Amino acid sequence: LSGKRSLSAGELDRLEGLLLSADVGVEGTRRLLQAVRQGPSELDALERLKAEMLAILAPKSDYRPPGGENGGKPAVWLILGVNGSGKTTSAGKLGSRLAGRGLKVMMAAADTYRAAAGEQLAVWADRAGAELVASKPGADPAAVAYDAVAAAQARGTDVLLVDTAGRLHNKKHLQDELRKIHATIGKRMPGAPHLGLLVMDAATGQSGLAQARLFSQAVPVDGIVLTKLDGTAKGGIVLAIAQELGIPVAWAGTGEGAGDLQEFDAEEFVEGLLG
Amino acid sequence: SLTDKLSSLFKNLTGQGKLSEANVREAAAQVRLALLEADVNLQVAEDFVARVQERALGAEVLSSITPGHQFVKIVHEQLRETLGGKREALRFASQPPTVVMVCGLQGSGKTTTCAKLGALLKRSGKRVILAAADIYRPAAAEQLEILSQQAGCIFYKSDSTDVAAICAGAAEAGVRKLADAVILDTAGRLHVDAEMMEELVRTKAAARPHEILLVLDSMTGQDAALVAAEFNSKLGLTGAILTKLDSDARGGAALSLRAVSGAAIKYVGTGEKLADLEEFHPERMASRILG
Ligand SMILES: Nc1nc2c(ncn2[C@@H]2O[C@H](COP(=O)(O)OP(=O)(O)OP(=O)(O)O)[C@@H](O)[C@H]2O)c(=O)[nH]1
Ligand SMILES: Nc1nc2c(ncn2[C@@H]2O[C@H](COP(=O)(O)OP(=O)(O)OP(=O)(O)O)[C@@H](O)[C@H]2O)c(=O)[nH]1
Ligand SMILES: [Mg+2]
Ligand SMILES: [Mg+2]
């Protein structure tokens, strides 16, 4: 395809197939093909496509600064997403990364529902050399989050990572619980949480868009942690999410170890998607 | 919905008496779009639509006085048939225990599903062992032990670092303890991780499961076809369980899975509680996919 100014019908079909197979979606694919057909004529078709995808993925606004208001400590990051997407593991990876930079990290096990969730996060806290705040199963997750913020403030923690239970975006009572966790954190520390990270499996289909819509209606979502990119799924759904909601991908999960986390690189992502 | 789109498509045509091939092709294109929006794998969707088109171009639709109705009927029928004409339940071994190996991608819901399956069998009076075969994931055994207790099953684990040996041990424990079923909860793994897939092949050889079930997240998109094909080609799946159907995902992964591997979906996960495991109903899934 590279080097061609205009594509034949057959080539457009193949390009459509490539995009659809990458979970870009019917509507997203239609838009991209239109951009390829109508794009700046000095670029070849492939360059037009890449330029359009990069434009879609570019963050629309700056992240909210990860520090507290007036640079206060701790920076509180809320980790949310559907069941099994990789939240606890990603919280662990982030913890190791931040600790590796010399920051004092604390983790809050605000998933009080899942069997052995606290034990799972404890292993990650240990790996990162981070402190852990947990409670008994069945405890109020908002209370755990509140106590963790208080503990982090008292101990001069730089970053507090709050891991929450997996929840489906279409379950109102669980979205309400997430809102309550968010609000309760804010009660203890105005302006917190400073960052909301939606953890999403790269193999997610069109449901990913609904996830981003509904989660961002419940709490502010500043970025996506796109996990399991070491699989064969391309994660094309993040294009629709960026297009419709302006939510950028912040991190890419590429494995199950503490080091398997990278800052999201849009160029690399687009290259990988286009094969 | 698709039915609305198709009926409006055909409504504008009824004045012309019978359908032309072009009309059928247009309707088939609508079906393809609906399937893609439902996360059906592209190749699977195109094969499906090609077959629908073939049938529709046959005598049935072209000479029908209600071509729209007939076309929709063909689509529904073919989808139901592909998803599994008749219900397939768990196949019990002639001699207990029935060994069930549960596998799939990371986070798909295997551990929870193993416990749900154990609870289901327990409710029907069976004696079940749940075996912790995931030796990698932090607190995996702890998670299964808690769920096993809640499900009223016998928990089995071993300190061995040889997963195949652990599973063989669990199967032997099943014989000793007169269990009806031994369910092996394996670690999540990528279908493209050669070493981990090889571990499953060795585990199959050592534990000789009667059922090998792929647990697949119903929110999975295009990748479901490749995942199902790979797990099937390495292990020979005897069935599958589709999880998180309580989401709003249309669940096209079910069609992809069935089309590429032939594995019948035996159960569906419909929630986080142990009771949230139901029988798979092909006609309900068909309606869900078609939206
Ligand atoms: N291959 C791969 N596996 C991952 C990645 N991120 C997480 N996982 C795995 O995905 C599975 C689920 O991870 P968790 O961290 O427990 O997911 P979760 O979102 O916290 O799950 P719930 O709390 O139950 O909703 C685990 O087996 C992880 O090791 C990744 O980037 N690549
Ligand atoms: N809503 C919903 N959640 C489910 C369903 N099945 C499993 N889950 C949840 O999905 C998450 C992951 O479940 P696990 O059983 O840990 O998944 P797994 O496949 O064993 O994960 P790994 O061992 O890390 O690969 C948990 O939060 C479960 O409660 C379901 O049918 N519906
Ligand atoms: Mg978790
Ligand atoms: Mg598991």
Side-chain angles (χ1 to χ4, degrees):
Chain A
L1 284 184
S2 111
K4 295 200 172 182
R5 286 290 152 76
S6 69
L7 301 181
S8 69
E11 284 163 334
L12 279 170
D13 270 355
R14 285 217 320 273
L15 187 54
E16 181 195 47
L18 179 84
L19 295 172
L20 288 170
S21 301
D23 287 310
V24 171
V26 169
E27 182 56 20
T29 298
R30 198 190 57 77
R31 281 218 191 112
L32 284 177
L33 291 182
Q34 187 169 12
V36 168
R37 285 197 298 272
Q38 302 172 350
S41 53
E42 65 277 9
L43 297 177
D44 72 34
L46 195 61
E47 288 171 331
R48 266 177 252 149
L49 178 62
K50 287 185 186 171
E52 182 66 14
M53 291 170 74
L54 289 174
I56 291 170
L57 290 171
K60 304 295 174 287
S61 59
D62 294 328
Y63 265 118
R64 290 193 297 179
E69 297 295 79
N70 313 312
K73 294 200 308 196
V76 182
W77 295 9
L78 187 62
I79 315 290
L80 48 128
V82 300
N83 309 72
S85 62
K87 296 175 293 301
T88 304
T89 305
S90 299
K93 292 173 183 177
L94 285 167
S96 283
R97 191 182 186 88
L98 294 166
R101 286 196 212 145
L103 296 172
K104 191 157 150 58
V105 180
M106 181 183 287
M107 298 189 190
D111 176 354
T112 58
Y113 177 79
R114 181 188 159 123
E119 288 84 330
Q120 182 189 6
L121 192 62
V123 172
W124 285 106
D126 204 64
R127 284 175 184 168
E131 298 188 290
L132 177 75
V133 169
S135 177
K136 296 202 289 299
D140 175 9
V144 176
Y146 186 98
D147 291 347
V149 177
Q153 286 171 320
R155 303 168 79 77
T157 301
D158 293 308
V159 187
L160 169 64
L161 302 168
V162 182
D163 182 26
T164 62
R167 70 199 64 235
L168 289 181
H169 46 297
N170 53 316
K171 299 211 162 154
K172 177 151 190 326
H173 66 292
L174 295 180
Q175 294 303 77
D176 287 345
E177 179 186 84
L178 186 61
R179 273 195 192 92
K180 180 159 175 267
I181 294 171
H182 189 273
T184 305
I185 289 172
K187 281 208 189 78
R188 176 67 205 187
M189 181 183 190
H194 308 95
L195 213 60
L197 292 174
L198 173 60
V199 179
M200 186 173 299
D201 189 324
T204 308
Q206 298 309 298
S207 146
L209 183 55
Q211 289 176 29
R213 277 187 198 132
L214 292 177
F215 274 106
S216 59
Q217 282 173 25
V219 298
V221 173
D222 299 286
I224 289 172
V225 178
L226 191 61
T227 62
K228 308 175 202 173
L229 275 166
D230 45 322
T232 48
K234 306 287 175 151
I237 193 64
V238 301
L239 287 161
I241 293 172
Q243 183 109 51
E244 181 177 316
L245 302 166
I247 299 173
V249 181
W251 303 96
T254 55
E256 304 192 65
D260 296 327
L261 184 76
Q262 302 166 9
E263 288 195 21
F264 183 68
D265 182 329
E267 303 228 350
E268 205 177 305
F269 175 78
V270 168
E271 295 289 327
L273 195 149
L274 296 178
Chain B
S1 76
L2 178 67
T3 313
D4 297 338
K5 285 208 196 95
L6 291 178
S7 24
S8 76
L9 227 178
F10 286 115
K11 186 177 283 132
N12 303 332
L13 305 172
T14 41
Q16 304 162 20
K18 56 193 211 77
L19 285 190
S20 69
E21 292 207 7
N23 300 147
V24 169
R25 279 185 220 296
E26 197 178 349
Q30 285 296 330
V31 176
R32 174 180 174 273
L33 287 181
L35 293 178
L36 288 170
E37 286 166 349
D39 287 328
V40 176
N41 175 269
L42 177 64
Q43 193 55 54
V44 171
E46 298 194 328
D47 293 344
F48 181 89
V49 166
R51 289 207 313 283
V52 162
Q53 197 163 285
E54 229 171 276
R55 277 179 67 180
L57 287 176
E60 316 183 43
V61 176
L62 292 184
S63 54
S64 164
I65 46 170
T66 54
H69 181 84
Q70 197 66 19
F71 189 88
V72 172
K73 189 161 163 291
I74 290 174
V75 174
H76 258 280
E77 263 176 30
Q78 184 165 317
L79 192 46
R80 262 200 335 274
E81 282 164 28
T82 314
L83 288 172
K86 60 173 179 46
R87 250 231 82 223
E88 273 198 48
L90 203 66
R91 236 180 303 149
F92 285 97
S94 48
Q95 288 263 52
T98 299
V99 179
V100 181
M101 185 166 91
V102 173
C103 57
L105 295 180
Q106 290 89 345
S108 60
K110 297 174 296 300
T111 304
T112 311
T113 300
C114 284
K116 287 177 180 180
L117 197 53
L120 180 73
L121 295 173
K122 180 80 177 29
R123 281 199 295 279
S124 66
K126 304 257 184 290
R127 196 168 154 76
V128 181
I129 290 182
L130 293 180
D134 178 354
I135 59 172
Y136 309 103
R137 179 188 156 130
E142 287 84 332
Q143 180 193 8
L144 186 63
E145 184 164 19
I146 291 169
L147 295 178
S148 177
Q149 214 212 27
Q150 292 173 3
C153 299
I154 301 163
F155 177 66
Y156 178 93
K157 80 162 195 223
S158 140
D159 290 330
S160 163
T161 54
D162 178 345
V163 171
I166 294 173
C167 293
E172 285 159 19
V175 175
R176 284 200 313 277
K177 294 181 185 257
L178 306 177
D180 296 297
V182 176
I183 303 175
L184 311 170
D185 179 26
T186 69
R189 71 204 62 220
L190 293 176
H191 49 303
V192 289
D193 184 334
E195 223 175 280
M196 288 299 276
M197 292 305 285
E198 193 48 36
E199 176 185 274
L200 276 183
V201 172
R202 285 200 307 277
T203 302
K204 175 185 176 181
R208 316 244 238 103
H210 306 91
E211 284 270 20
I212 300 178
L213 304 178
L214 177 70
V215 172
L216 184 68
D217 186 329
S218 61
M219 294 183 279
T220 310
Q222 295 289 309
D223 207 39
L226 187 53
V227 172
E230 282 298 305
F231 272 85
N232 190 44
S233 104
K234 289 274 163 27
L235 303 170
L237 300 174
T238 63
I241 299 182
L242 202 62
T243 60
K244 306 175 203 173
L245 265 178
D246 43 326
S247 72
D248 57 4
R250 298 257 294 270
L255 179 59
S256 305
L257 153 73
R258 178 72 187 203
V260 308
S261 74
I265 298 170
K266 305 211 166 184
Y267 298 99
V268 294
T270 56
E272 299 194 64
K273 305 211 239 4
L274 287 189
D276 296 331
L277 189 72
E278 298 176 14
E279 291 185 358
F280 175 66
H281 294 284
E283 68 299 335
R284 272 190 226 160
M285 194 74 220
S287 302
R288 179 176 178 137
I289 288 174
L290 292 177

